[in-house]
Amino acid sequence: MPPRLHADKLAYFFIAFACYLLIRAIATATAIPPVNVLLYISIAASLLASNVPRVVDIPLHYAYPVRCIEFFTFGIAVVCFITLCLRHVWL
């Protein structure tokens, strides 16, 4: 089996995990703090932006905006994670 198929399977797994995180964020939006919801959504968006282009051919002029979305949502996820860690330490 070529190594490309393993990479595709891993990309599909991350896409499925991102869908799970989106559903979880929407389902528990009223029960958990907004920082958690934002963390779940930003992780899911970052995973989708990094893995969907690996399994779907997208036009070249969309590659840069998708990459920018990936970096932006990853940055938001890091900030939310640090916020949650600091909140956990101080409370």
Side-chain angles (χ1 to χ4, degrees):
M1 185 176 278
R4 178 76 180 144
L5 293 177
H6 293 298
D8 285 350
K9 288 180 183 179
L10 191 62
Y12 283 122
F13 169 75
F14 285 131
I15 291 169
F17 185 67
C19 292
Y20 164 74
L21 284 176
L22 282 174
I23 292 170
R24 182 176 176 174
I26 292 169
T28 61
T30 59
I32 61 176
V35 175
N36 290 25
V37 176
L38 185 61
L39 177 68
Y40 292 155
I41 291 174
S42 60
I43 290 172
S46 180
L47 283 173
L48 287 173
S50 65
N51 289 301
V52 168
R54 293 179 190 208
V55 294
V56 176
D57 291 330
I58 61 171
L60 191 58
H61 61 277
Y62 290 136
Y64 181 71
V66 169
R67 195 75 170 164
C68 290
I69 290 170
E70 176 187 357
F71 288 142
F72 178 72
T73 55
F74 179 74
I76 291 174
V78 169
V79 169
C80 289
F81 180 74
I82 291 170
T83 303
L84 287 173
C85 288
L86 291 175
R87 195 170 105 194
H88 179 71
V89 168
W90 286 332
L91 292 181

